[in-house]
Amino acid sequence: MSKVEEATAVTAVTTRRNFLRSVVGMASVAAVATPLARKTATPASGSRNTIQSTPAQQVTAVDGPQDPLERMRADLARALQKPEAERRWVMVIDLRKCVGCTACTISCVAENHLPPGVVYRPVLEEEIGTFPNVAKRFLPRPCMQCDNPPCVDVCPVGATWKRSDGIIEIDYDQCIGCRYCITACPYNARTFDRGFVYNDESYVDNSVTFVGVADAEAYEMAAPYEYGEERPRKDGRSPIGNARKCHFCLHRLEKGMLPACTTTCIGRATYFGDASDPDSLVADLIASPNVMRLKEALGTEPKVYYLQ
Amino acid sequence: MNNNNSWKRILWLLSGVGFLIGLYGLYARLTLGHTDANYGSYIPWGLWVAGYVYLIGLSAGAFLLSTLVYVFRVKILEPIGRLALFTAVTTLVGAMVLIFLDLGHPERAWRLALHTNFRSIMGWMIWLYTGYFILLLVELWFASRVDLVACAGNPGFSGRLCRFLSFGSQDVSPERAAKDRHTLRILGTIGVPLAIAFHGGVGALFGVIGAREYWHSGLSPIFFLVGALLSGGALLTFVTAIWGPDVKSEKGQKLVLLLGQITLGLLAFDVLLEWAEYSIGLWNAVPGKTNGLLLTLKGPYWWVFWFVHLGLGVIVPGLLLALRGRSISAITTAGALIAVTFLSVRLNFVIPALAEPELEGLRTAFTGPGLTFSYFPSVSEWMLFIWAISVAALIFLAGTQLLPLTPKEA
Ligand code: SF4
Ligand code: SF4
């Protein structure tokens, strides 16, 4: 833990953050220890013990002394100075640090007011091995914002496209809801908004009294900030009836904020930034040898990278 | 004839009841949107898309057979040219109703025409369908013109309808009739590539989806075309036996026997293609690719393949056609069986491809309505499907009563 403490002292943030950071650091290190040990131990047999005692700093070293969130915010601010076409937004997810808490999934649901049946960033759980030699791997799966997106060309009305900064956008007013794009995505990253709401009778358990139901309902029906548009949830209006997917929180980026999943990741496993800026944290990370992308063989060129 | 009349009565009854109970599906779709359906995010296409593919196949098949009359001038088939065209029109209407209501925003369907993305195969569809629909109507008009002029003198609604539909045309001279035939040949000739393009196109629409191994095959468009010919041919055989020339006459009998043989040939060809798909797919070196096929053979809805498709759609009609190929009732039954059960082929094409998660672990990662990889159509989905079929059937039945769809001497 010494490295973590040292780092926090250097960045001289508030005492409260120091506390949180230490706790988070401990939690993530504890949680990744087993899968890390299992994964890396397999090829070189007998090395398990050494690996298991890997000190925390090896796991967090890539972050440097600075809080990665602070660094990413600075990276983001720099990227926003450039014209849109010169930015290359990428996300990096460190699988060794992901603890499978799904905070990112939920923060995304909250940020974008996602209804039942729509999810932008589920965390997939995979069990590797057989008992007692099992490890769990958690894999958060946002939209890959493919550089060669198979979902774009199939749209019969051109309602979805790749922006010059690489984010794949959907225009909810143009989308006719044919769902062709959903079938074309090799990552199941698009979902269909059928018009459900969480506060619907069929979801609410009347035998239990929930506190704050009215507020939650108001929140759910209120317009999210997606694509910077005002879209309250009512009368079957878009995005109801549309295909929906992760957009790297474009609306937040434009205001200089990191995506919701990135800021809420308690394991500090999610990184975000402009890969065309050589000084950015993500540019460092995607240069690591242990980087991989999902279904690389398809040639979709995802802009979400995983570290393993 | 008596036999035919009872078939007709049964069909009127079925379509009428189907229309009425199906109204519930329409009501549910209009008031509840997509919330009462069982397709969703992971299986975004369900019964309505499969039903649309099914109906469009029937239409394309019936149309392509009509070209035997108008383009290739196969004399013996001449009496059923209009029936074939009208079958193609009504099934196309049913297909359009279904796919229109399947859209998340049907009110924006006009965007398909005015904002077409021609890089998308679906983008092409709207143009091909519109062209095809217009062509069908014009062709049907030229094929019926002389008889429309004749029945314009009839009393009652039928006469008024004929008068209206003849659009003032009066000329029934043999020269003019020969001219009509020439026009029909040109129209039919345009129709052949059009029908191949749009139905092959529906196959290609699926075939180009590289993300779904199950669909992603160069054989998909071919499979669709042959399926269209088979299902459309089978339907036309059934239709001919009921509404065509009197099967007691030698001409009528010959016609049905010939259609029965055509259907049997198409069935054999379709089975061959299916064998190619399944054997190559299952004998695959990469096991992941076989999942969709295994799902149809051994999944929760295995009976759809084994009983509905293979049993009722291939073996029973195949045996009827091969062994009792001279019996009109056997041919009629075989035609009806193939035409009806072909829906199972379309369902087994559309759904299994979607019922496999693209990534390990998705099944349980986040749940909710539609975030599931199993699918069985909901009651309101079935009802709307039945409604669309009934609408098509009712238009067809009304047409057979009111329009001169078969030559008078028949
Ligand atoms: S992950 Fe799917 S939805 Fe996202 S860009 Fe790629 S193909 Fe499109
Ligand atoms: S669902 Fe919408 S975005 Fe997707 S292909 Fe259809 S129209 Fe385009």
Side-chain angles (χ1 to χ4, degrees):
Chain A
M1 283 307 103
S2 65
K3 179 80 179 185
V4 173
E5 277 153 20
E6 193 186 299
T8 41
V10 172
T11 46
V13 283
T14 62
T15 339
R16 189 166 154 269
R17 184 175 289 167
N18 275 349
F19 168 70
L20 280 175
R21 204 175 140 78
S22 314
V23 173
V24 168
M26 277 189 278
S28 59
V29 170
V32 294
T34 319
L36 175 70
R38 292 265 181 277
K39 276 197 82 58
T40 25
T42 335
S45 57
S47 63
R48 179 178 294 185
N49 286 341
T50 359
I51 305 236
Q52 212 151 24
S53 61
T54 304
Q57 61 265 36
Q58 279 216 348
V59 178
T60 48
V62 284
D63 302 348
Q66 196 184 9
D67 182 320
L69 280 178
E70 297 301 339
R71 181 165 170 203
M72 288 189 286
R73 278 191 195 108
D75 293 350
L76 179 61
R78 267 202 318 284
L80 289 174
Q81 305 295 316
K82 302 198 288 186
E84 182 186 301
E86 284 171 31
R87 303 171 200 150
R88 195 184 127 79
W89 300 124
V90 306
M91 186 172 279
V92 184
I93 301 173
D94 193 335
L95 297 179
R96 301 164 305 178
K97 290 175 154 193
C98 174
V99 298
C101 68
T102 72
C104 56
T105 315
I106 302 306
S107 71
C108 171
V109 169
E111 172 70 28
N112 296 301
H113 300 205
L114 301 184
V118 174
V119 63
Y120 289 174
R121 189 184 155 105
V123 177
L124 318 188
E125 283 185 29
E126 204 183 338
E127 217 169 76
I128 301 157
T130 43
F131 183 82
N133 287 316
V134 258
K136 268 206 161 181
R137 183 167 79 152
F138 305 105
L139 186 135
R141 197 250 40 223
C143 165
M144 304 288 130
Q145 316 294 349
C146 306
D147 250 349
N148 297 322
C151 57
V152 164
D153 275 353
V154 297
C155 178
V157 294
T160 183
W161 61 85
K162 186 167 102 178
R163 291 160 44 98
S164 63
D165 57 7
I167 292 179
I168 312 298
E169 185 171 346
I170 302 173
D171 183 334
Y172 289 149
D173 288 326
Q174 285 188 40
C175 167
I176 60 170
C178 67
R179 285 108 69 203
Y180 196 14
C181 56
I182 303 183
T183 70
C185 169
Y187 305 95
N188 277 131
R190 288 183 174 234
T191 49
F192 180 44
D193 187 339
R194 286 199 284 157
F196 292 106
V197 283
Y198 279 105
N199 278 290
D200 186 76
E201 277 168 19
S202 49
Y203 289 99
V204 178
D205 179 358
N206 285 324
S207 60
V208 191
T209 316
F210 289 104
V211 181
V213 166
D215 287 345
E217 192 167 347
Y219 183 81
E220 186 175 17
M221 305 312 271
Y225 297 103
E226 265 191 301
Y227 300 115
E229 295 162 347
E230 182 79 11
R231 294 183 186 277
R233 199 164 176 75
K234 60 174 184 201
D235 308 331
R237 278 198 246 155
S238 284
I240 295 172
N242 291 130
R244 301 182 67 175
K245 67 166 198 73
C246 153
H247 32 64
F248 277 176
C249 279
L250 194 52
H251 56 279
R252 289 174 60 98
L253 300 183
E254 278 163 357
K255 296 270 186 290
M257 291 186 280
L258 291 166
C261 54
T262 311
T263 50
T264 48
C265 175
I266 66 157
R268 289 285 199 275
T270 301
Y271 304 91
F272 184 84
D274 172 18
S276 68
D277 172 359
D279 298 328
S280 68
L281 174 55
V282 289
D284 280 354
L285 293 176
I286 61 174
S288 342
N290 55 339
V291 81
M292 65 111 180
R293 295 185 294 182
L294 296 181
K295 300 196 177 182
E296 189 85 72
L298 292 181
T300 47
E301 303 287 342
K303 287 197 285 289
V304 174
Y305 296 79
Y306 293 90
L307 299 176
Q308 52 176 6
Chain B
M1 241 11 210
N2 276 344
N3 195 16
N4 279 0
N5 280 339
S6 54
W7 267 109
K8 285 178 193 167
R9 263 200 298 277
I10 292 173
L11 288 170
W12 269 107
L13 189 75
L14 281 178
S15 319
V17 172
F19 181 85
L20 289 178
I21 61 167
L23 281 175
Y24 169 74
L26 184 66
Y27 168 79
R29 170 67 185 88
L30 295 181
T31 55
L32 303 170
H34 293 264
T35 54
D36 209 24
N38 280 349
Y39 51 79
S41 287
Y42 291 155
I43 302 196
W45 288 345
L47 175 65
W48 296 341
V49 171
Y52 144 80
V53 175
Y54 165 65
L55 287 168
I56 212 80
L58 291 176
S59 178
F63 173 78
L64 286 172
L65 288 171
S66 82
T67 62
L68 290 179
V69 177
Y70 299 116
V71 181
F72 303 104
R73 304 226 168 131
V74 178
K75 200 88 190 129
I76 179 173
L77 293 175
E78 208 158 89
I80 56 158
R82 279 177 255 165
L83 267 181
L85 286 175
F86 195 59
T87 307
V89 173
T90 49
T91 41
L92 179 65
V93 170
M96 290 300 116
V97 167
L98 264 187
I99 203 63
F100 175 73
L101 289 170
D102 183 76
L103 292 180
H105 285 278
E107 79 283 3
R108 295 181 194 154
W110 60 270
R111 288 193 163 270
L112 283 165
L114 296 189
H115 294 267
T116 318
N117 169 21
F118 285 105
R119 295 207 29 86
S120 162
I121 297 201
M122 199 185 277
W124 282 92
M125 286 299 148
I126 182 80
W127 291 104
L128 293 172
Y129 286 146
T130 310
Y132 174 64
F133 191 57
I134 294 171
L135 183 110
L136 276 179
L137 292 181
V138 175
E139 214 183 314
L140 191 57
W141 187 78
F142 274 103
S144 321
R145 196 189 59 84
V146 173
D147 286 348
L148 281 171
V149 174
C151 73
N154 289 358
F157 181 69
S158 170
R160 279 206 301 280
L161 191 66
C162 287
R163 261 197 303 286
F164 172 71
L165 289 178
S166 59
F167 297 119
S169 171
Q170 307 248 319
D171 191 350
V172 288
S173 63
E175 299 80 52
R176 182 62 204 267
K179 235 174 145 182
D180 284 355
R181 273 200 296 281
H182 183 66
T183 315
L184 280 168
R185 187 172 221 173
I186 296 176
L187 289 173
T189 312
I190 300 173
V192 175
L194 194 60
I196 292 179
F198 90 72
H199 201 64
V202 182
L205 189 151
F206 293 96
V208 297
I209 300 301
R212 313 280 172 173
E213 290 293 350
Y214 189 71
W215 291 340
H216 189 43
S217 155
L219 212 53
S220 289
I222 313 295
F223 197 52
F224 267 58
L225 279 173
V226 176
L229 281 170
L230 169 61
S231 58
L235 180 64
L236 197 60
T237 307
F238 174 75
V239 163
T240 303
I242 311 285
W243 287 277
D246 188 356
V247 286
K248 294 219 177 66
S249 71
E250 200 202 337
K251 207 166 142 198
Q253 206 161 32
K254 262 199 181 146
L255 185 57
V256 176
L257 294 188
L258 174 66
L259 283 172
Q261 277 161 4
I262 294 180
T263 306
L264 182 61
L266 289 168
L267 180 67
F269 191 41
D270 196 64
V271 168
L272 178 74
L273 281 186
E274 205 167 357
W275 170 252
E277 273 289 313
Y278 276 80
S279 59
I280 300 289
L282 289 172
W283 212 299
N284 208 308
V286 181
K289 291 191 178 183
T290 64
N291 287 351
L293 294 171
L294 286 176
L295 214 53
T296 65
L297 301 182
K298 305 203 303 196
Y301 305 113
W302 57 272
W303 49 270
V304 176
F305 179 86
W306 294 106
F307 284 152
V308 184
H309 169 54
L310 204 60
L312 296 175
V314 175
I315 296 177
V316 175
L319 288 176
L320 282 175
L321 290 171
L323 303 179
R324 307 214 31 226
R326 305 210 62 79
S327 147
I328 300 291
S329 62
I331 297 175
T332 315
T333 313
L337 275 177
I338 295 175
V340 170
T341 58
F342 214 77
L343 175 65
S344 65
V345 176
R346 303 308 193 190
L347 276 167
N348 266 344
F349 183 80
V350 175
I351 316 295
L354 303 164
E356 279 294 318
E358 293 278 16
L359 297 167
E360 185 68 35
L362 256 182
R363 221 180 272 277
T364 48
F366 194 82
T367 52
L371 292 175
T372 145
F373 289 93
S374 61
Y375 170 78
F376 192 81
S378 69
V379 172
S380 61
E381 278 178 81
W382 281 114
M383 290 298 145
L384 184 61
F385 171 71
I386 289 173
W387 187 75
I389 298 262
S390 304
V391 167
L394 286 174
I395 299 177
F396 179 82
L397 291 169
T400 58
Q401 299 269 323
L402 300 170
L403 299 171
L405 291 177
T406 38
K408 267 199 298 309
E409 68 271 22

